[in-house]
Amino acid sequence: MKIVDVGVGGGYNVVIGRGLIDKAGELVHGVLGDRRLAVITDDKVDALYSDRLIRSLESARYETVKFVFKNGEASKNARTFIDILEFLAKNHLCRNDAVIALGGGVAGDIAGFAASAYLRGIDFVQIPTTLLAAVDSSVGGKTGIDLEAGKNLAGAFYQPKLVICDPELLKTLDHGAFCDGCAEVIKYGVIKDEKIFNMLNDPENLDIESIIARCVEIKRDVVVFDEKEQGLRQILNFGHTFGHAVEKLSNYKVSHGSAVAIGMAMIMRACVLDGKCTSGYANKLEELIKKYDLPTRTDYPAEKLYEALLSDKKRKGDHITLVVPGKEGEACLYKAELDEVKRLLIAGL
Ligand code: GLY
């Protein structure tokens, strides 16, 4: 078992280990003590893991209630958010009760946001069941929902009290969903630790527990300095600026991981032309991305991508802060005028 302590929001542990879902009751009890718990999950994860989780919680003498929503990004909206709040109220959860978010990014984001809003904030625990949620969304306190106008446009920075990550749960992920998470893992390699590339070298023999722990440590080291994304935290957006444009143009049919993979490859190619990183490094990254059956190119034309990029919530007036790679395992923030962003986008296609 590995433990990463995250010193934000009062501080919490990310506990990573095989079989931990069956110890969730004692782990939660060690942090929260006696409470009533509301488990929030989607129908797919519910069929796989709710019973095991609830058995473990009940063996620690927890009284639980459960809210299940339809799986998929389409559920991460105001309607489901309100339904969760109404459910918490109808079940008389009070200030010292807590929410357990069981699932991938959608469950973690919406349940965390509901926990932040219900009675002006009750505690919550994240139990991620996808690689993407394990290495990214379950840690760092970004919670929220999508609006008609775009993804994640309403939410709160609200840290969990505990994250329980059981890598065994990733076994039920389909290949595409697993590879999606690998795009985020590769991202950590580029921004902070080139050793991650070696850890990913053999897809058939991954030490997934160590990979998750290393990614969480990197995220922790960023978030403790900049919880609210005023500066350094933007480094976690490597590949996301061009990636989000692809995701948006596809009407979210291109998955987040695939879009990030394309975005990472694009900015690398652009940076090679600018002499910011070597072609050897860019090729190495592309090869790694392809090893996980992720795309490195898009057919969308530059004009359309640029238009989509202008509506990115990370744009500030006439500039966008890009994350640019340098040496292996090192990247920096680069505040670029929109013309410059367009030039790099075209260069990266
Ligand atoms: N997913 C990037 C962040 O949490 O800041």
Side-chain angles (χ1 to χ4, degrees), residues 12 17 24 61 85 101 162 170 192 212 217 224 233 243 314:
Y12 56 96
R61 295 204 220 174
L85 296 180
L162 174 69
L170 308 185
K192 209 69 190 171
I212 293 170
E217 279 170 359
V224 286
R233 188 166 180 164
K314 291 180 175 75

Side-chain angles (χ1 to χ4, degrees), residues 136 139 142 187 219 229 233 236-237:
D136 186 23
V139 181
K142 276 190 183 174
K187 173 194 85 176
K219 183 155 189 184
E229 200 170 314
R233 188 166 180 164
L236 299 173
N237 297 329

Side-chain angles (χ1 to χ4, degrees), residues 139-330:
V139 181
K142 276 190 183 174
T143 70
I145 55 171
D146 304 332
L147 301 182
E148 298 280 328
K151 270 180 83 171
N152 298 323
L153 291 186
F157 289 98
Y158 194 67
Q159 304 291 338
K161 290 288 172 206
L162 174 69
V163 181
I164 301 170
C165 180
D166 180 349
E168 290 280 341
L169 307 188
L170 308 185
K171 282 195 177 145
T172 46
L173 285 179
D174 63 40
H175 179 68
F178 182 79
C179 292
D180 244 34
C182 290
E184 295 285 348
V185 176
I186 294 170
K187 173 194 85 176
Y188 286 110
V190 176
I191 63 171
K192 209 69 190 171
D193 186 357
E194 77 280 9
K195 289 192 207 77
I196 287 181
F197 301 140
N198 298 336
M199 293 170 102
L200 287 173
N201 228 351
D202 181 2
E204 302 306 317
N205 286 299
L206 298 176
D207 177 356
I208 203 70
E209 200 173 310
S210 299
I211 289 172
I212 293 170
R214 184 64 194 121
C215 292
V216 170
E217 279 170 359
I218 294 171
K219 183 155 189 184
R220 180 266 320 269
D221 292 347
V222 170
V223 172
V224 286
F225 277 108
D226 180 22
E227 183 187 0
K228 303 267 168 75
E229 200 170 314
Q230 297 303 301
L232 180 65
R233 188 166 180 164
Q234 295 171 83
I235 203 93
L236 299 173
N237 297 329
F238 173 63
H240 284 58
T241 306
F242 296 160
H244 277 156
V246 172
E247 216 179 347
K248 186 161 195 241
L249 282 182
S250 78
N251 215 3
Y252 300 99
K253 289 199 175 67
V254 173
S255 68
H256 182 68
S258 293
V260 168
I262 293 168
M264 291 192 292
M266 281 178 72
I267 191 76
M268 290 292 280
R269 287 192 290 268
C271 286
V272 171
L273 292 176
D274 273 14
K276 289 188 171 75
C277 74
T278 65
S279 58
Y281 182 22
N283 291 339
K284 178 175 167 175
L285 187 88
E286 285 209 24
E287 287 313 309
L288 191 59
I289 291 172
K290 286 180 188 159
K291 224 176 222 185
Y292 287 90
D293 296 329
L294 291 160
T296 58
R297 291 189 183 268
T298 178
D299 290 335
Y300 291 119
E303 276 306 324
K304 291 257 175 245
L305 286 165
Y306 182 65
E307 250 172 59
L309 191 146
L310 289 181
S311 64
D312 194 300
K313 66 180 182 299
K314 291 180 175 75
R315 175 162 79 93
K316 291 198 180 100
D318 59 357
H319 73 268
I320 291 181
T321 300
L322 297 172
V323 184
V324 294
K327 285 198 297 196
E328 294 193 22
E330 281 178 29

